[in-house]
Amino acid sequence: MMAAAFPLSTAAPPSPPLVGRSVAAYSPSSSFEFYRNHRGRAHRGLCAAAARRDVRCTLRMRLQPPVAARSATALAAAQGQAEAAPSSGAGEGSLWVVFLATAVAVCGSFEFGTCVGYSAPAQAGIVSDFGLSNSEYGVFGSVLTIGAMIGALTSGHLADNLGRKMTMRLAAIIGIVGWFTIYFAKGAAMLYLGRILLGYCTGVLSYVVPVFISEIAPKDLRGGLASSNQLFICSGCSAAYIIGALLSWRSLVLVGLLPCAFLLVGLLFIPESPRWLANTGRVKEFHASLQKLRGENADVSEEATEIREYIESLRSLPKARVQDLFQSKNMYAAIVGVGLMVFQQLGGINALGFYTSYIFSSAGFSGKLGTTLIGIFQIPITLFGALLMDRSGRRALLLVSASGTFLGCFLTGLSFYFKVHVLFFYWSCLPSITQFGAQFVFSGWRDNGRAALLQSSDTIRKPDGSLNWQ
């Protein structure tokens, strides 16, 4: 054991100074003096034992380093372990940059929610101030989707050419202009223009925010941080419902302006997406952004290599065309992805969201109280759906929530039909109850639908050229 721990050498190491009382008691000089002065047998035996103890003590002292040297060695080893620990991955202290960047990005999600939820509590005030009919106000509520379609069509090109941060900055500026247009509106035309601008803002943010979050997040946090996008969309909608029951429609504009302002200011303090920087060939900025997100002491060489290899693999593939969607190897994935988006919008839940206050009032229920209750209960239901997303699976939760949404919307329409034609009193309160169910269940459907689409966007091609939808 001693030979294994201490390698042999041809030259004997110098003896360390022997200090202490025990060493002085068994030094060779004192032993030989004792032997020379006492020549008796008993004394000679005692001296021989003392000499053997002296040899063992000397060997032991030579093999063990001094106390100061042992302490210095232990301290150096501890410092080496402390310095090597952060380099094994992203440093714990670096996560605050990822969380800060996510918090700034979800201000865009919150803005999305306020734009969607604004029309419901503002309906009574706008109709009374401008004398709009229900059909004219219906145009005000629905042109948001027209602007969103235009924004969605241009969002990909903007994000690829201008970058993720600049695209979010542009959307926030357009959102601010849209809100001020509504605030200073003198007629229906300005209301429509402001609503279209807000729709364009939401269409761009609905794409670039989840893409930015998924590109900056570490692998082990990507799912949870990406689900925060939908949570803050629902939170913005709920905030518009709750605050709109207390403020006038012009004062409610401030609720939409605040997240745009926070987004503009916050973008100054967060790094750009490393993947976009690598894709555009900005090598130095790419490494600086990735290092800032993962921590100064983190080893990002492996992740940087993976990102570069992934980008190179995408560039080596043939340029995608619209005709590729109709190939047999891509048809199934295209039908699933597009079908989730299309049927989510055609389900009719947006009509309930845009005109919630009017629907409650028509059902004989307080419009302000109804929108407030929906705003309160919608957030925990959405959070519950996000927690179930990884436990129950996307497909199972989509089936359950889609079925509940259909049942809620069907009963809402049926109750209004009976109210008009049958005139039963107890049917008048049914729209309020069924709309609660439709809103609750759809929040889980929308959350999981977007999560499934986000997963399918991280695709790579198989060796045969077909898409690998995971």
Side-chain angles (χ1 to χ4, degrees):
M1 294 295 293
M2 297 298 291
F6 301 95
L8 299 177
S9 59
T10 56
S15 301
L18 302 179
V19 295
R21 296 175 57 188
S22 60
V23 178
Y26 299 106
S27 62
S29 59
S30 61
S31 299
F32 286 119
E33 289 176 0
F34 181 84
Y35 178 72
R36 189 166 46 247
N37 295 330
H38 304 276
R39 298 178 181 274
R41 290 189 175 213
H43 296 293
R44 287 199 301 269
L46 182 60
C47 289
R52 288 194 296 270
R53 287 196 300 271
D54 179 35
V55 172
R56 289 196 297 268
C57 181
T58 304
L59 290 175
R60 189 181 304 113
M61 293 298 296
R62 288 184 177 183
L63 289 174
Q64 293 182 357
V67 177
R70 292 199 302 270
S71 301
T73 304
L75 181 60
Q79 291 178 350
Q81 293 177 356
E83 293 175 358
S87 62
S88 60
E92 295 180 359
S94 67
L95 289 180
W96 73 270
V97 181
V98 177
F99 292 147
L100 175 63
T102 304
V104 172
V106 294
C107 289
S109 305
F110 194 88
E111 169 66 15
F112 187 163
T114 57
C115 293
V116 173
Y118 176 80
S119 60
Q123 181 173 2
I126 292 178
V127 169
S128 62
D129 288 351
F130 292 97
L132 301 179
S133 62
N134 288 334
S135 59
E136 290 175 332
Y137 190 80
V139 174
F140 172 76
S142 59
V143 292
L144 180 77
T145 58
I146 297 177
M149 286 189 294
I150 300 173
L153 290 174
T154 61
S155 60
H157 295 286
L158 291 176
D160 290 339
N161 296 326
L162 301 180
R164 301 351 182 185
K165 287 178 59 177
M166 183 58 68
T167 302
M168 287 189 286
R169 187 176 291 114
L170 177 63
I173 293 174
I174 294 176
I176 291 176
V177 175
W179 283 117
F180 276 116
T181 304
I182 293 177
Y183 184 85
F184 294 106
K186 301 298 182 181
M190 290 188 67
L191 288 175
Y192 298 160
L193 177 60
R195 190 71 169 167
I196 291 175
L197 292 176
L198 292 180
Y200 184 86
C201 170
T202 59
V204 173
L205 291 175
S206 65
Y207 168 78
V208 69
V209 169
V211 168
F212 177 76
I213 294 175
S214 63
E215 288 180 347
I216 66 170
K219 292 181 179 179
D220 54 344
L221 299 176
R222 189 169 298 162
L225 293 179
S227 63
S228 64
N229 172 58
Q230 178 59 33
L231 179 62
F232 275 83
I233 291 177
C234 181
S235 300
C237 186
S238 299
Y241 283 168
I242 297 172
I243 301 176
L246 306 175
L247 301 178
S248 64
W249 66 272
R250 291 189 189 271
S251 300
L252 188 58
V253 169
L254 297 176
V255 179
L257 285 173
L258 287 178
C260 290
F262 285 134
L263 182 60
L264 284 176
V265 175
L267 288 173
L268 300 174
F269 302 98
I270 62 175
E272 179 60 271
S273 167
R275 288 181 178 269
W276 180 80
L277 292 172
N279 193 30
T280 55
R282 305 181 184 182
V283 180
K284 291 184 178 180
E285 297 178 19
F286 159 64
H287 284 283
S289 174
L290 188 60
Q291 193 73 60
K292 187 175 182 180
L293 288 168
R294 300 297 179 258
E296 296 181 357
N297 298 324
D299 184 8
V300 298
S301 58
E302 183 177 355
E303 186 176 0
T305 303
E306 291 179 359
I307 293 175
R308 287 194 297 267
E309 290 178 353
Y310 178 75
I311 292 175
E312 291 297 329
S313 65
L314 290 181
R315 290 176 178 175
S316 63
L317 297 174
K319 187 176 181 180
R321 302 173 300 172
V322 179
Q323 295 86 340
D324 296 339
L325 295 175
F326 301 97
Q327 297 179 3
S328 58
K329 58 185 178 182
N330 298 329
M331 280 292 293
Y332 180 78
I335 291 174
V336 171
V338 176
L340 282 173
M341 293 186 291
V342 171
F343 288 107
Q344 174 182 331
Q345 300 300 323
L346 295 181
I349 196 64
N350 282 337
L352 295 178
F354 289 165
Y355 312 109
T356 301
S357 179
Y358 178 76
I359 293 175
F360 277 114
S361 300
S362 301
F365 196 81
S366 173
K368 291 185 177 181
L369 180 59
T371 54
T372 302
L373 291 176
I374 285 185
I376 292 174
F377 287 105
Q378 198 173 21
I379 296 177
I381 293 298
T382 302
L383 182 60
F384 181 66
L387 295 176
L388 287 179
M389 185 168 48
D390 291 328
R391 297 178 180 270
S392 61
R394 275 70 165 168
R395 186 173 181 272
L397 203 54
L398 277 170
L399 290 173
V400 173
S401 54
S403 302
T405 304
F406 163 75
L407 182 62
C409 293
F410 178 76
L411 290 178
T412 300
L414 188 65
S415 61
F416 275 104
Y417 176 82
F418 280 116
K419 181 181 179 181
V420 174
H421 293 84
V422 183
L423 300 179
F424 283 154
F425 173 76
Y426 63 87
W427 286 103
S428 63
C429 64
L430 188 57
S432 305
I433 302 173
T434 53
Q435 189 182 357
F436 268 72
Q439 289 278 1
F440 289 167
V441 179
F442 177 71
S443 62
W445 179 25
R446 180 171 54 188
D447 186 12
N448 288 272
R450 292 183 183 275
L453 290 176
L454 183 61
Q455 271 197 337
S456 64
S457 64
D458 283 337
T459 58
I460 57 175
R461 289 184 181 270
K462 297 178 180 179
D464 60 354
S466 61
L467 291 174
N468 181 21
W469 295 78
Q470 298 176 345

